[in-house]
Amino acid sequence: MPSFLPISRRDMDAANISQLDFVYVTGDAYVDHPSFGHAIISRILQAHGYQVGIIAQPDWKDPDSITILGTPKLGFLVTSGNMDSMVNHYSVSKKRRSTDAYTPGGVMGKRPDYAVMVYSRLIRSVYPDIPIIIGGIEASLRRLGHYDYWSNKVKRSILLESGADLISYGMGERSIVEIADALASGIAVSDLTFIDGTVFRTKDHALASENAVQLPSFDQIRLDKRAYARSFYMQYCNTDPFAGKRLYETYKGGVYVVQNPASKPLSQLEMDDVYALPYMRTYHPSYEAAGGVPAIREVKFSLASSRGCFGGCNFCALTFHQGRIIQSRSHASILEEARVLTKEPDFKGYIHDVGGPTANFRHPACDKQLTKGACVDRQCLFPTPCKHLKIDHSDYRELLQKLRSLDGIKKVFIRSGIRYDYLIYDKDRRFLQELCEHHVSGQLKIAPEHISNTVLQKLGKPSVEVYRRFVHAYEQMNQKIGKEQYLVPYLMSSHPGSTLKEAVELAEFLRDMGYVPQQVQDFYPTPSTISTCMYYTGLDPRTMEPVYVADNPHEKAMQRALIQYRNPKNYDLVKEALIKAGRQDLIGDGKKCLIGDKNYAKFREQKKTEKQSFRGGKEARSMKKQNNRKGSYNAAKQNSRKKAASQRKKGTGKRGRR
């Protein structure tokens, strides 16, 4: 009978466990669901015969908080959780967020900033000789020297900052088992220098440099932005598990941080095995009193069909973490999980998502990737699709058809990203038709990010003409099937390459579309992306050419305001931006204007008031004149009557004379 992993000594006693092999410390609440990294890694280890316990969100100010499960035989595993702790805590404006979806009740503040570093140092203070292996997104993207947006500094490898022994980077199913087996066989953690998907430190130059590429030293990248850009691009070109080289970075004191090549992608059978493990599929019951863990709501009735992405967006860290080679589950595996969902007591018949980082990527971009890896010198889709790219939605379409036909399922939605360029390059329109007929609930969310080709080139996104083609095809398809459905484009402001000129272009595009975006994402410089390298260095690391960067908070506010120019609160920022961009032609009363001129508007209002006052005065004068004339007429008539009556009395009038 499946059960949660131990979180206390009582749980260990109930399971008859005297000592755990690994204690897993995580910045997230304990959610035993395959959408959570700590659940996958701990269940993988359990499947290989290792005993694992979970310490979720320990009190980092109290050393006793990481002793509650005792001393592990083999080591501690440490992660910040499903997100980098700094992204989890702070908005792009570096303001503290108010809620944390990965904490019971959504409470903020249950994990520290730079959680991997803090947890590891805490463990080291109590257990100086126990191996510490760090992993997850925070460790993975900070594995070598990196720019840290929140401190605005270039920081050392997190391996050195944390005092840990080893990093398991990327998707760690392969590396964590190799690490566990090596430690269990008696190999010292300091000797684990040979495992793909890991980063280690050493003072042995011969070991570090063997079959390896030397990166610029940490001191070089800390002091010289050009050296930083060169180093980053060398790393970027060596992320592939087949073609990537071993890398090493030099630090003071003769210390070398060495990155082994990435782990090989999982086969479909291995992916199926990962998702067939005995997950409880929900949060630990101890969180019920706090209201549960909000993050489960988005994933509880969703199905992960693939991982990896060959889209190559420059602002995305997937290349550094999951890689460019698509790994997918079989139809049978996904259908079996869907049947499990239908048996959940709170399942209402709706599958919320079937996808991955990119929903409509279900197979490697080309056959070559499975043996030789992804190309180092070009992208699969950008700037135009590679001639070897396999553009085919048939497998994904068949999967969705099978899911729709299952008993108990009313609707299957697609909420993870659709690559509209990949879709529009498919000459077979059957997937687009079925997408519109069955998998859209009134609105389809897509991510053009921008419409200026200057900015799109820096984003690594297709030209705006491709977006226009998709919009046209989507509208035509909905007309054909008789549905009224809309597109919701995600847009990004202040990405490197975007000046006020390009921001105005985007505002004009939105004006012509008649679209009013409710949400806009400012570019967020997270670790290990090409875009973040551009932001920090002002250079495109691929070409070393200068790139314009809007790093002034006020200019960023203006670029954001231009996208939401219809909001009255943004008027002053929009007007200032238009004047600075030399686009006063967009201020005023014309049809193409984004905003009215406030002074002109006041003048018009004043004139309108004066005109109304003049009309009112004229009407009053006219009425008075009419009343005066009427009064004179009535007075004259009354006098005439009085005169006639007097004459009759005297017998001098006409009637008197008769």
Side-chain angles (χ1 to χ4, degrees):
M1 183 71 180
S3 62
F4 287 94
L5 297 171
I7 66 168
S8 65
R9 284 282 191 173
R10 181 184 298 176
D11 292 344
M12 291 172 61
D13 293 340
N16 198 27
I17 300 171
S18 59
Q19 186 180 21
L20 295 163
D21 294 305
F22 291 98
V23 171
Y24 203 136
V25 178
T26 173
D28 285 344
Y30 175 28
V31 183
D32 196 23
H33 187 281
S35 293
F36 288 73
H38 62 255
I40 288 180
I41 296 301
S42 57
R43 290 296 184 183
I44 285 276
L45 287 169
Q46 184 188 50
H48 283 79
Y50 296 101
Q51 300 284 3
V52 185
I54 306 288
I55 299 179
Q57 300 186 319
D59 181 353
W60 67 94
K61 299 172 185 175
D62 179 9
D64 291 339
S65 66
I66 46 89
T67 67
I68 60 172
L69 297 179
T71 306
K73 290 180 188 176
L74 301 179
F76 280 91
L77 309 177
V78 180
T79 177
S80 68
N82 272 16
M83 294 176 67
D84 186 292
S85 58
M86 300 305 286
V87 177
N88 178 276
H89 286 173
Y90 299 98
S91 69
V92 65
S93 59
K94 300 184 183 179
K95 293 180 180 178
R96 188 82 169 180
R97 300 188 195 275
S98 58
T99 60
D100 180 354
Y102 294 91
T103 295
V107 175
M108 175 53 75
K110 293 296 183 179
R111 82 186 85 204
D113 288 354
Y114 305 107
V116 169
M117 180 188 71
V118 174
Y119 290 150
S120 298
R121 288 179 177 181
L122 180 66
I123 293 166
R124 185 63 76 213
S125 71
V126 180
Y127 300 101
D129 301 319
I130 298 294
I132 299 174
I133 297 93
I134 58 178
I137 193 81
E138 184 165 316
S140 185
L141 300 186
R142 297 170 180 268
R143 56 189 184 256
L144 292 169
H146 58 280
Y147 171 68
D148 179 72
Y149 170 67
W150 301 273
S151 62
N152 195 29
K153 293 179 180 178
V154 175
K155 289 199 165 189
R156 300 188 302 165
S157 163
I158 196 171
L159 189 65
L160 302 181
E161 292 289 321
S162 66
D165 296 289
L166 204 62
I167 299 175
S168 170
Y169 73 87
M171 307 304 285
E173 291 97 342
R174 288 193 188 281
S175 60
I176 197 62
V177 173
E178 289 190 61
I179 292 167
D181 288 347
L183 292 173
S185 69
I187 299 176
V189 70
S190 58
D191 292 330
L192 299 186
T193 62
F194 52 86
I195 299 173
D196 285 350
T198 63
V199 178
F200 66 92
R201 67 170 179 263
T202 182
K203 288 194 171 185
D204 185 342
H205 179 265
L207 176 62
S209 60
E210 184 179 3
N211 299 318
V213 175
Q214 182 177 6
L215 300 172
S217 71
F218 177 73
D219 279 345
Q220 286 178 298
I221 67 171
R222 181 174 60 86
L223 299 172
D224 182 357
K225 291 184 177 181
R226 292 188 70 84
Y228 182 96
R230 287 197 307 272
S231 177
F232 176 83
Y233 196 57
M234 291 168 72
Q235 295 172 47
Y236 184 85
C237 292
N238 285 279
T239 56
D240 186 81
F242 294 97
K245 305 294 185 184
R246 200 184 207 200
L247 306 174
Y248 73 98
E249 191 173 61
T250 307
Y251 289 81
K252 285 182 179 178
V255 174
Y256 305 97
V257 173
V258 186
Q259 174 185 299
N260 285 316
S263 293
K264 298 295 188 290
L266 298 183
S267 67
Q268 189 167 90
L269 180 59
E270 289 170 324
M271 281 279 285
D272 289 353
D273 287 343
V274 167
Y275 286 88
L277 294 169
Y279 305 102
M280 298 302 290
R281 305 192 64 80
T282 188
Y283 51 78
H284 194 275
S286 61
Y287 304 137
E288 199 64 56
V293 180
I296 193 65
R297 296 171 196 153
E298 286 299 313
V299 298
K300 187 172 183 180
F301 299 122
S302 296
L303 299 168
S305 69
S306 62
R307 66 171 58 157
C309 181
F310 55 76
C313 297
N314 291 336
F315 55 89
C316 178
L318 276 168
T319 296
F320 265 71
H321 190 59
Q322 290 191 3
R324 291 170 57 191
I325 300 175
I326 302 298
Q327 302 150 73
S328 59
R329 296 166 63 188
S330 69
H331 289 196
S333 170
I334 297 169
L335 291 169
E336 180 56 33
E337 186 177 1
R339 293 187 187 97
V340 171
L341 295 186
T342 64
K343 295 179 175 61
E344 294 282 346
D346 52 344
F347 182 69
K348 306 297 184 184
Y350 300 97
I351 291 179
H352 296 162
D353 188 30
V354 183
T358 301
N360 54 330
F361 290 174
R362 274 280 298 168
H363 51 73
C366 66
D367 294 331
K368 163 187 165 293
Q369 288 189 345
L370 292 176
T371 55
K372 297 181 180 178
C375 296
V376 174
D377 57 349
R378 71 154 294 144
Q379 295 289 338
C380 304
L381 278 166
F382 176 80
T384 56
C386 174
K387 64 181 180 180
H388 300 296
L389 177 64
K390 294 194 298 184
I391 303 171
D392 184 4
H393 287 86
S394 59
D395 178 73
Y396 189 41
R397 183 166 50 82
E398 290 168 14
L399 171 62
L400 294 170
Q401 288 172 351
K402 291 175 183 177
L403 286 167
R404 295 199 305 265
S405 66
L406 289 180
D407 290 339
I409 291 180
K410 300 176 183 176
K411 189 87 173 178
V412 179
F413 294 108
I414 299 174
R415 291 184 179 172
S416 52
I418 288 282
R419 278 297 293 236
Y420 63 85
D421 50 346
Y422 183 72
L423 194 159
I424 206 64
Y425 295 143
D426 190 348
K427 295 178 181 178
D428 184 345
R429 289 289 185 257
R430 284 180 294 175
F431 174 69
L432 178 59
Q433 180 167 342
E434 291 191 21
L435 174 70
C436 295
E437 283 181 335
H438 302 290
H439 306 292
V440 177
S441 180
Q443 296 179 334
L444 177 65
K445 296 178 181 178
I446 55 174
E449 308 296 352
H450 214 281
I451 55 84
S452 165
N453 286 333
T454 301
V455 182
L456 290 169
Q457 195 276 334
K458 299 305 179 188
L459 282 158
K461 301 286 282 190
S463 70
V464 68
E465 287 72 26
V466 178
Y467 175 66
R468 292 182 192 275
R469 280 175 57 194
F470 176 76
V471 171
H472 180 67
Y474 181 78
E475 290 174 347
Q476 278 194 323
M477 185 59 72
N478 279 293
Q479 288 176 3
K480 175 183 174 181
I481 64 177
K483 283 196 169 187
E484 188 175 350
Q485 299 186 128
Y486 304 94
L487 288 172
V488 179
Y490 283 124
L491 301 169
M492 183 183 295
S493 62
S494 305
H495 187 275
S498 176
T499 69
L500 286 175
K501 173 181 175 291
E502 285 76 31
V504 171
E505 284 181 36
L506 179 54
E508 291 183 285
F509 182 83
L510 294 172
R511 174 202 63 201
D512 296 341
M513 278 181 60
Y515 176 62
V516 183
Q518 298 301 310
Q519 293 182 328
V520 178
Q521 175 63 57
D522 282 343
F523 167 64
Y524 202 152
T526 56
S528 296
T529 72
I530 288 179
S531 298
T532 298
C533 183
M534 291 181 194
Y535 175 86
Y536 170 61
T537 65
L539 300 167
D540 186 331
R542 299 164 297 185
T543 62
M544 298 302 289
E545 294 176 353
V547 179
Y548 179 82
V549 176
D551 55 2
N552 180 283
H554 188 66
E555 182 182 345
K556 291 174 73 173
M558 285 193 287
Q559 291 207 24
R560 181 185 177 92
L562 279 164
I563 298 177
Q564 296 178 309
Y565 69 88
R566 294 175 187 268
N567 187 337
K569 293 180 181 178
N570 291 334
Y571 180 89
D572 291 334
L573 283 169
V574 173
K575 184 175 181 180
E576 181 183 356
L578 292 174
I579 292 172
K580 283 193 173 184
R583 295 301 306 273
Q584 291 93 326
D585 58 301
L586 297 177
I587 305 172
D589 202 36
K591 291 182 179 180
K592 293 291 186 180
C593 290
L594 298 180
I595 56 172
D597 187 318
K598 273 192 175 180
N599 293 330
Y600 179 66
K602 286 180 181 177
F603 174 76
R604 284 195 63 193
E605 189 63 32
Q606 184 179 351
K607 286 294 182 184
K608 184 178 178 181
T609 303
E610 289 176 357
K611 194 172 183 180
Q612 288 174 343
S613 299
F614 176 75
R615 284 177 179 172
K618 187 176 181 181
E619 289 172 0
R621 288 191 298 273
S622 176
M623 183 66 69
K624 185 176 181 181
K625 194 172 181 180
Q626 289 177 8
N627 288 339
N628 288 340
R629 285 199 298 267
K630 189 175 181 180
S632 299
Y633 172 78
N634 289 338
K637 189 175 182 180
Q638 189 174 4
N639 289 335
S640 176
R641 286 176 179 172
K642 286 181 179 179
K643 186 177 180 180
S646 176
Q647 288 175 343
R648 283 195 299 271
K649 188 175 181 181
K650 294 178 179 179
T652 58
K654 290 182 179 179
R655 292 181 183 178
R657 287 196 294 270
R658 286 177 188 162

